Amino acid sequence: MRLNRYPFFLVFIFLPTLTISQVSDYVEGKTYTLDSISVVGLKTFNQQTLISYTGLSVGQRIKVPGETISSVINKLWNLDLFSNINVYATRVLNNDISLEIEIDELPTLSKATFRGIKKGKQDALIEETELTPGKKLSESFLTNTKNYILKEFKEDGFLNSKVTLDTREDSLKVNQSELLIFIDKGPRVKISDIDFNGNEVFRDGFLRKKLKKTKKRNRVRFWKKSKYIEEDFQADLISLTEHLKERGYRDARIISDTIITNENKTLAIKIEIEEGNKYYFGDIEFVGNTVYSDYFLKQKTGIRKGEAYNSSLLKKRISEVGNPDADNVENLYKNNGYLFSNINLVEISAEQDTIDFEVRISEGKLAQFNKISVSGNERTNDHVIYRELRTRPGQVYSQDQLVRTIRELGQLGFFDAEKINPSFDNADPNAGTVDISFPLSETGGSQIQLQGGYGGGGFIGTLGLSFNNFSMRNIFNSQEYKPLPMGDGQNLSLRLQSSQFYNTYSFSFSEPWLGGRQPVNFSTSFSHTVQYRYDYFTGRADKSQSFQITGASVGLAKRLQVPDDYFQLSQAIAYQYYNFNNYFTGLFTFGNGVANNFTYEIALSRNNTFTNPIFPVGGSTFTIRAKLSPPYSFFSDRDYGNLENLPEFQDSQGNPNRELIDQERFRWLEFYKIKFNGTWYTQLVDKFVLKAQADFGFIGAYDNNRGLIPFERFFLGGDGMQNYALDGRENISLRGYGNQSLSSTDGSVMFNKFTIELRYPISLKPAASIFALTFLESGNGYDGFREFNPFNSKRSAGGGVRIFMPAFGLLGIDFGYGFDSPTSTTGSPNGWETHFIIGQQF
């Protein structure tokens, strides 16, 4: 005969009224030996697995009722797999007890089906609410799902949207159910009117503009929808009152706000406002300051007696949390050693319309850096990091130098710039010392490019290696190959490219701290290319017609101290040798002979962009660069304007031989080349960053009779990728147009370009930094200075995305629309262009 089951979970609730007669041998609070365990109600789970999870076992001594049973029930509840759990005693004999666990399994989601919305929105909601097959359909999950969907539509202006959930058992699958989600969005609720009452100084239109997210309906304003979201509206009201206070009306407040539903289903908003009186700054006194005078500190605030009261501005001029670059009193102290200073702003009187303040300063003891340490650099050697530190033991504490150190470490490119967060250890106000530690997280510093493809009539293979944290001194130390000698901060690049028509290889190396004592960057490079003509009869390379280019360069760049140490002066000398052997292509006017290009290059640059070099959020860069060949014409008596009249430059008929003339003109290339680049980064709201950029380039000749060289020219338009080229050309990007389409066939000798980009980071993790962008660009290429017209620019707009992965460099894609004809001023727009970006930034 089966014994009646006794539910232990009820004992704690109904103990005063229950009897224990259901199981005659049961004694409350007694310790029993567990004789057997069984589970009923299972549909998909294994009984033995569930018993093992409870921790109960036959032969175990348990107190009934007691903490063991309660713990088992709580443990099973926490799995979120069951809708009901009971534990019963099915048999009690002497000191033995048998237990039965009864459970009801939650149904599992087999499929989620939406009704009333488009598929694109369905896919997004499925991902956001995790409506994936296998999800347990608990009541809390269903409630949260419904609330989330309602919130999504209400935030989009559908205030009257309705959501109904219905689960239907799947007859083909055990314990699985299909979830049907019925959505009735209803019409989007717009705001017809926003009216203000009680305002006497500020007009309604002015106040409406200060409601940034709550806008009345306006057919002209397409970029901002009219919709009502309660949270945004309340935030706008707070922002509105804060703005009025910043204009001197410190007692301004919202008395009431009323939402009215109109017959046409729109909303009307009535806001009752009280402006109060306008207040002004009175006296601002400083107390406790000994390092700086009252006059100096008052000048630092920039606020004068009688100006309209603005508490927000005054607080920022005294102290602004989270902005170490702010020009305020607190940073004045922190940047000059007073780490332990404490500054409090106190309102001491408000008589009539004038408010007096007292700035109470506790300067503390002058602080010094004590111990400076770094950690996390497993590959990068300590000396590479320590030479970049602006915080040295024994130096007077400076918040500015601490921020500069963070920037310098981030600019190295060896560490995750987003995670450089120094910690202050052992700060001792009495001793005036503080320890600073820099925990670092290394990222990949090397890149590899291995690709192959078919083009130009044959297979093209490319191998490129770039090591950005190389160690040349350990190149012969086999123990340092892990897999390569790394850690000294040097850059080494190798590139090989080959096909049946050309072979090219290049090598470059740079040492950022030549000699190890000063930031003097030494760089050198070498390259060699052989190009063969295409034989139209055989379809193969004709090696009797060739063109060779061999080049080398050596450069030094030094960090300056004046005007500030963000400036750098770089210099380089370079030589290129061009050898033509029966190579007539139309690219040059001569097919036999040589050309020599010896140049001196000097550049002045300044770079104070913020920490992350991949996604700067502030700062600027500018570079002005000059590339100069020696003025050979000044040291020669030859009249290059009269070459065609000389017999040695004429054919047998006495006609000028253009090939011989140009060979003489360009035997030693004579030119000067000027370029300018300026780029500014400004963080706007949230994470949006505005990038503004201006570029200019010009090639000139010392001797007009000798003419402009056919080398080194600018080719504007397209993605700007620096592809393989014979003539040393520079490809300048201008999205929305075809590659090189904005320059003549021979290239431009002058160009200008302007860019505005709005960027937003999607992910800045070290494995992959991703950001989206939109852009506006304009520019053009010109064949001479007289043709230059900054108003005759080719305009474009579009958007794109960038992905930076340490192993592959920068990758991206842009979609640009060209508003103008690339070849004329009256033609049809160029239209859409797609640009793929590899290994470069705009």
Side-chain angles (χ1 to χ4, degrees):
M1 175 179 174
R2 179 183 175 88
L3 293 173
N4 292 331
R5 300 184 299 178
Y6 190 87
F8 290 111
F9 76 96
L10 293 176
V11 169
F12 302 101
I13 302 174
F14 301 110
L15 186 61
T17 59
L18 288 177
T19 65
I20 55 175
S21 59
Q22 291 174 292
V23 180
S24 58
D25 295 333
Y26 171 73
V27 177
E28 180 184 342
K30 181 179 178 181
T31 300
Y32 294 92
T33 300
L34 190 55
D35 182 54
S36 65
I37 312 169
S38 60
V39 183
V40 297
L42 291 175
K43 295 181 179 179
T44 59
F45 292 97
N46 179 272
Q47 174 174 282
Q48 192 57 47
T49 300
L50 190 138
I51 292 174
S52 298
Y53 183 79
T54 64
L56 297 175
S57 59
V58 174
Q60 180 180 347
R61 300 282 290 173
I62 61 172
K63 185 177 181 180
V64 181
E67 293 183 0
T68 302
I69 301 299
S70 299
S71 176
V72 167
I73 294 174
N74 289 332
K75 197 173 183 181
L76 293 175
W77 272 122
N78 290 335
L79 291 173
D80 289 329
L81 298 174
F82 311 110
S83 60
N84 190 31
I85 303 171
N86 295 317
V87 178
Y88 298 98
T90 56
R91 177 175 175 273
V92 176
L93 182 61
N94 298 327
N95 292 325
D96 295 334
I97 191 169
S98 297
L99 297 181
E100 179 183 89
I101 303 174
E102 180 185 63
I103 65 171
D104 292 331
E105 290 188 28
L106 287 172
T108 300
L109 177 64
S110 62
K111 180 183 178 182
T113 304
F114 285 85
R115 296 286 187 270
I117 59 174
K118 295 181 179 180
K119 187 178 185 305
K121 186 64 175 178
Q122 293 180 26
D123 295 339
L125 287 175
I126 287 175
E127 180 178 355
E128 292 165 4
T129 57
E130 300 180 354
L131 287 172
T132 54
K135 192 74 175 181
K136 290 296 183 179
L137 299 177
S138 64
E139 287 297 325
S140 61
F141 174 75
L142 294 175
T143 301
N144 291 338
T145 299
K146 180 178 179 178
N147 292 338
Y148 181 85
I149 296 173
L150 280 171
K151 181 174 178 290
E152 278 287 298
F153 285 102
K154 287 184 177 181
E155 288 184 353
D156 201 24
F158 298 95
L159 298 184
N160 300 318
S161 56
K162 299 178 181 178
V163 177
T164 304
L165 305 185
D166 183 23
T167 55
R168 298 181 182 178
E169 186 176 348
D170 192 330
S171 59
L172 301 178
K173 299 178 180 178
V174 178
N175 198 40
Q176 294 198 21
S177 296
E178 179 182 358
L179 179 61
L180 300 178
I181 305 170
F182 300 93
I183 299 176
D184 179 11
K185 296 191 300 183
R188 179 180 273 115
V189 178
K190 299 182 181 297
I191 302 172
S192 61
D193 294 293
I194 302 177
D195 295 324
F196 291 88
N197 294 319
N199 51 309
E200 298 177 357
V201 178
F202 300 99
R203 293 177 299 176
D204 284 14
F206 174 84
L207 297 174
R208 289 192 196 99
K209 288 181 180 180
K210 299 307 172 184
L211 302 176
K212 297 300 182 182
K213 296 183 179 180
T214 308
K215 299 291 184 181
K216 64 181 292 186
R217 182 170 53 185
N218 187 335
R219 299 185 186 278
V220 178
R221 190 189 62 244
F222 61 88
W223 60 89
K224 185 70 176 179
K225 295 179 180 178
S226 172
K227 56 185 178 181
Y228 176 81
I229 301 173
E230 177 65 23
E231 293 179 0
D232 291 346
F233 177 60
Q234 295 301 324
D236 277 345
L237 293 180
I238 294 173
S239 177
L240 175 61
T241 55
E242 290 298 322
H243 184 79
L244 297 183
K245 291 177 181 180
E246 290 175 0
R247 287 179 166 259
Y249 295 85
R250 76 165 192 166
D251 297 331
R253 64 191 182 102
I254 304 297
I255 297 176
S256 65
D257 59 89
T258 306
I259 310 299
I260 302 171
T261 303
N262 300 319
E263 292 182 359
N264 61 357
K265 303 301 183 182
T266 62
L267 296 181
I269 300 178
K270 308 291 183 181
I271 301 175
E272 186 76 22
I273 189 170
E274 182 180 305
E275 295 169 335
N277 296 323
K278 187 173 184 178
Y279 289 82
Y280 301 88
F281 282 117
D283 294 322
I284 301 178
E285 301 295 338
F286 292 86
V287 178
N289 53 305
T290 60
V291 179
Y292 302 104
S293 67
D294 289 3
Y295 176 79
F296 181 81
L297 294 177
K298 286 180 180 179
Q299 293 296 111
K300 196 70 176 177
T301 65
I303 296 175
R304 300 186 183 279
K305 184 176 181 179
E307 292 183 0
Y309 170 80
N310 185 338
S311 63
S312 177
L313 177 63
L314 179 58
K315 290 177 182 177
K316 288 181 180 179
R317 297 289 175 83
I318 299 298
S319 173
E320 186 174 357
V321 178
N323 187 1
D325 297 318
D327 185 17
N328 57 38
V329 174
E330 181 183 52
N331 286 345
L332 173 67
Y333 275 91
K334 295 290 175 65
N335 290 334
N336 290 280
Y338 292 91
L339 168 65
F340 305 109
S341 61
N342 186 27
I343 302 175
N344 293 310
L345 179 65
V346 181
E347 180 181 317
I348 57 175
S349 70
E351 296 183 4
Q352 296 181 354
D353 61 353
T354 302
I355 303 175
D356 297 332
F357 289 91
E358 191 173 85
V359 183
R360 298 171 182 173
I361 301 175
S362 173
E363 293 175 335
K365 191 172 183 178
L366 191 67
Q368 293 180 327
F369 293 113
N370 182 32
K371 180 181 178 182
I372 308 296
S373 61
V374 296
S375 61
N377 54 313
E378 298 179 358
R379 292 190 301 271
T380 307
N381 294 322
D382 286 348
H383 74 273
V384 174
I385 301 172
Y386 281 108
R387 69 192 184 191
E388 300 292 342
L389 299 184
R390 303 299 181 96
T391 54
R392 304 295 176 88
Q395 287 183 345
V396 173
Y397 173 85
S398 171
Q399 181 173 263
D400 180 63
Q401 292 301 320
L402 183 64
V403 173
R404 182 68 185 274
T405 296
I406 296 172
R407 176 194 178 275
E408 297 301 326
L409 293 177
Q411 289 282 325
L412 286 175
F414 308 150
F415 310 105
D416 183 358
E418 300 299 316
K419 293 183 179 179
I420 302 177
N421 186 21
S423 62
F424 291 68
D425 305 320
N426 304 319
D428 189 345
N430 296 321
T433 58
V434 62
D435 297 340
I436 305 292
S437 61
F438 293 91
L440 304 174
S441 176
E442 287 187 313
T443 60
S446 301
Q447 300 171 14
I448 183 171
Q449 179 185 7
L450 181 62
Q451 64 184 36
Y454 187 86
F459 180 80
I460 302 174
T462 302
L463 173 64
L465 300 173
S466 178
F467 310 106
N468 296 330
N469 193 5
F470 195 69
S471 176
M472 183 64 76
R473 65 186 174 91
N474 289 316
I475 196 168
F476 298 112
N477 186 350
S478 60
Q479 297 181 352
E480 294 295 327
Y481 279 74
K482 302 175 184 178
L484 290 168
M486 305 291 285
D488 280 346
Q490 300 161 344
N491 295 322
L492 176 68
S493 296
L494 300 170
R495 181 179 173 85
L496 306 173
Q497 191 172 44
S498 180
S499 74
Q500 65 168 316
F501 299 103
Y502 69 87
N503 298 302
T504 181
Y505 54 86
S506 62
F507 161 85
S508 67
F509 171 78
S510 68
E511 164 58 72
W513 284 66
L514 183 64
R517 294 181 178 273
Q518 296 291 330
V520 176
N521 187 302
F522 168 80
S523 61
T524 184
S525 66
F526 175 81
S527 64
H528 180 72
T529 299
V530 180
Q531 171 81 29
Y532 302 106
R533 283 292 306 277
Y534 176 76
D535 190 324
Y536 290 95
F537 295 101
T538 64
R540 302 183 64 82
D542 183 354
K543 296 191 176 182
S544 65
Q545 304 179 67
S546 64
F547 176 31
Q548 297 186 34
I549 308 173
T550 303
S553 69
V554 177
L556 288 175
K558 182 179 181 180
R559 186 183 297 169
L560 304 179
Q561 300 299 318
V562 178
D564 60 43
D565 59 2
Y566 289 111
F567 279 86
Q568 185 180 68
L569 179 67
S570 59
Q571 303 175 77
I573 56 173
Y575 174 75
Q576 283 183 309
Y577 176 76
Y578 300 89
N579 186 2
F580 298 83
N581 179 26
N582 196 28
Y583 195 85
F584 295 91
T585 63
L587 185 63
F588 308 103
T589 56
F590 54 94
N592 286 290
V594 299
N596 300 272
N597 187 10
F598 179 78
T599 58
Y600 166 72
E601 188 168 351
I602 183 170
L604 180 66
S605 61
R606 186 179 189 272
N607 181 357
N608 72 332
T609 55
F610 289 8
T611 306
N612 191 338
I614 304 302
F615 190 82
V617 297
S620 63
T621 66
F622 87 82
T623 303
I624 183 167
R625 186 183 305 273
K627 191 173 186 179
L628 313 167
S629 72
Y632 303 109
S633 299
F634 293 176
F635 309 107
S636 173
D637 295 331
R638 184 178 291 281
D639 183 2
Y640 287 94
N642 194 42
L643 292 181
E644 58 186 20
N645 297 321
L646 299 179
E648 62 264 36
F649 298 106
Q650 298 175 347
D651 59 20
S652 59
Q653 305 298 322
N655 298 316
N657 188 321
R658 178 52 57 185
E659 180 181 356
L660 294 177
I661 292 174
D662 286 349
Q663 165 66 94
E664 180 65 19
R665 290 169 60 207
F666 303 128
R667 186 180 305 277
W668 286 93
L669 301 182
E670 182 182 278
F671 68 100
Y672 62 90
K673 188 175 186 179
I674 308 296
K675 292 194 300 180
F676 170 81
N677 167 268
T679 306
W680 296 263
Y681 299 92
T682 304
Q683 187 165 9
L684 305 178
V685 296
D686 193 26
K687 298 180 181 179
F688 286 97
V689 174
L690 182 69
K691 173 190 174 185
Q693 180 175 330
D695 294 274
F696 172 82
F698 176 71
I699 300 175
Y702 300 119
D703 185 350
N704 290 330
N705 290 326
R706 196 163 186 170
L708 294 168
I709 63 172
F711 300 85
E712 298 275 350
R713 296 200 176 191
F714 306 110
F715 287 81
L716 189 67
D719 53 35
M721 296 287 289
Q722 299 298 326
N723 298 320
Y724 167 75
L726 299 173
D727 51 4
R729 67 182 59 186
E730 286 191 51
N731 293 325
I732 310 298
S733 70
L734 204 157
R735 293 161 284 186
Y737 297 92
N739 286 350
Q740 306 178 8
S741 63
L742 302 182
S743 295
S744 61
T745 304
D746 296 330
S748 301
V749 298
M750 188 175 185
F751 84 94
N752 66 329
K753 174 191 165 188
F754 304 96
T755 301
I756 293 178
E757 280 187 0
L758 183 62
R759 299 175 162 195
Y760 186 83
I762 299 172
S763 170
L764 295 178
K765 296 181 179 179
S769 296
I770 307 171
F771 62 90
L773 60 89
T774 58
F775 65 85
L776 296 173
E777 284 190 322
S778 70
N780 209 347
Y782 308 93
D783 293 333
F785 187 81
R786 292 184 177 180
E787 295 183 11
F788 176 68
N789 181 1
F791 300 102
N792 179 23
S793 293
K794 307 300 182 181
R795 303 159 301 164
S796 67
V801 66
R802 297 288 183 274
I803 303 174
F804 179 84
M805 292 183 289
F808 300 101
L810 189 71
L811 307 173
I813 184 172
D814 287 327
F815 302 95
Y817 183 87
F819 294 105
D820 302 294
S821 169
T823 57
S824 67
T825 58
T826 59
S828 59
N830 187 71
W832 287 102
E833 295 277 354
T834 302
H835 308 287
F836 294 95
I837 315 302
I838 301 176
Q840 70 179 47
Q841 297 194 53
F842 283 90

